[in-house]
Amino acid sequence: MTVTTEINGHSPEKLLAPVLSAFWDQPNSWALRTYLRHEGYEGMRKALAMDPDAVIALVKDAGLRGRGGAGFPTGMKWQFIPQGDGKPHYLVVNADESEPGTCKDIPLLYANPHSLIEGMVIACHAIRSEHAFIYLRGETVPVLRRLHEAVREAYEAGYLGTAERRRDKLGVDGLPGLDITVHAGAGAYICGEETALLDSLEGRRGQPRLRPPSPRSPVCTRAPLW
Ligand SMILES: Cc1cc2nc3c(=O)[nH]c(=O)nc-3n(C[C@H](O)[C@H](O)[C@H](O)COP(=O)(O)O)c2cc1C
């Protein structure tokens, strides 16, 4: 009997997910130094050199879609966010992942949290946001620890932080400051629903809001508790 150990020079395991999990088997796959050895933050550098609208157009053309269930086109979602309205814009990452049987966000964040942070820096540039949040399922304490450490490393490297620090570290003029807040939810399935998630993040009881307006709508404003 012949056993196939390689396909086109790759092991069958690598072919299962050749991009997302390509180096999860490396020592310290979650560390910045490992990510940088595997083309980490190169996409960010390219995106930050581009005009934000050009980044949105590129993502639209690439056909990137959300994994939240509806498969919504990412570039379109980014384009909905009104620009030039003088209001702050926030990016909120839904990493609650409480649906029974779902298992993609937590392994990704555990093995390679920097891939999320890089994506967030790119998204914030595209939608002109200076403050982003990650809402993580609170029971996943080891993931929370790695995420906090990855955010710390990203601040140290100047991917995050004040405008001056980012300019000095990244060598790109005209970037605004960028902060990421990691928030651990208390563990409620309903808080994965996007409007309940926002209420929970703002310190309210996590219950879905009546829609419209959608969270991406320009009229979806509500005074935060803090
Ligand atoms: C009860 C309920 C729980 C949900 N839980 C999650 C979740 O844990 N993670 C998630 O990404 N989306 C969840 N969603 C979907 C979100 O409301 C939203 O559609 C999603 O965050 C959009 O993701 P995208 O930006 O990747 O398309 C849930 C929806 C409902 C109704």
Side-chain angles (χ1 to χ4, degrees):
M1 187 178 77
T2 312
V3 178
T4 307
T5 53
E6 285 202 345
I7 303 169
N8 293 337
H10 297 281
S11 69
E13 293 81 10
K14 291 284 179 196
L15 287 177
L16 287 175
V19 177
L20 270 186
S21 61
F23 64 92
W24 289 7
D25 54 353
Q26 301 280 307
N28 300 317
S29 67
W30 56 89
L32 178 59
R33 63 181 183 279
T34 314
Y35 191 50
L36 291 176
R37 278 203 304 273
H38 294 86
E39 302 176 8
Y41 288 100
E42 284 182 17
M44 176 201 74
R45 288 185 185 279
K46 282 183 201 150
L48 293 182
M50 293 166 66
D51 180 74
D53 290 335
V55 177
I56 294 179
L58 190 72
V59 169
K60 267 174 84 173
D61 290 348
L64 187 68
R65 286 172 179 273
R67 294 294 190 106
F72 198 86
T74 307
M76 267 174 72
K77 192 182 267 192
W78 292 0
Q79 202 173 38
F80 288 156
I81 295 160
Q83 296 298 332
D85 56 0
K87 294 178 184 168
H89 303 125
Y90 301 104
L91 174 78
V92 180
V93 172
N94 187 345
D96 196 48
E97 194 169 66
S98 304
E99 181 86 19
T102 54
C103 184
K104 59 175 175 50
D105 300 342
I106 296 304
L108 175 77
L109 294 178
Y110 195 53
N112 183 11
H114 280 287
S115 60
L116 174 67
I117 297 170
E118 179 175 14
M120 290 175 74
V121 176
I122 295 171
C124 285
H125 179 60
I127 67 169
R128 300 166 177 89
S129 170
E130 298 178 27
H131 197 161
F133 297 82
I134 305 170
Y135 189 101
L136 181 75
R137 181 178 172 168
E139 297 104 313
T140 56
V141 175
V143 181
L144 185 65
R145 288 199 186 112
R146 283 194 184 169
L147 203 47
H148 273 299
E149 173 59 11
V151 167
R152 191 198 62 73
E153 284 185 311
Y155 271 103
E156 200 172 86
Y159 308 146
L160 305 175
T162 63
E164 295 72 29
R165 188 166 166 78
R166 294 182 86 207
R167 182 199 57 217
D168 294 347
K169 287 278 193 175
L170 295 172
V172 183
D173 278 328
L175 291 179
L178 177 57
D179 286 307
I180 289 184
T181 300
V182 179
H183 179 88
Y189 171 55
I190 195 59
C191 288
E193 194 282 330
E194 56 188 359
T195 59
L197 186 153
L198 292 177
D199 269 25
S200 168
L201 195 58
E202 290 176 355
R204 297 185 170 86
R205 180 182 298 204
Q207 285 181 333
R209 300 176 186 175
L210 287 176
R211 281 189 274 188
S214 119
R216 286 165 288 282
S217 155
V219 292
C220 187
T221 52
R222 201 166 167 184
L225 290 180
W226 32 266

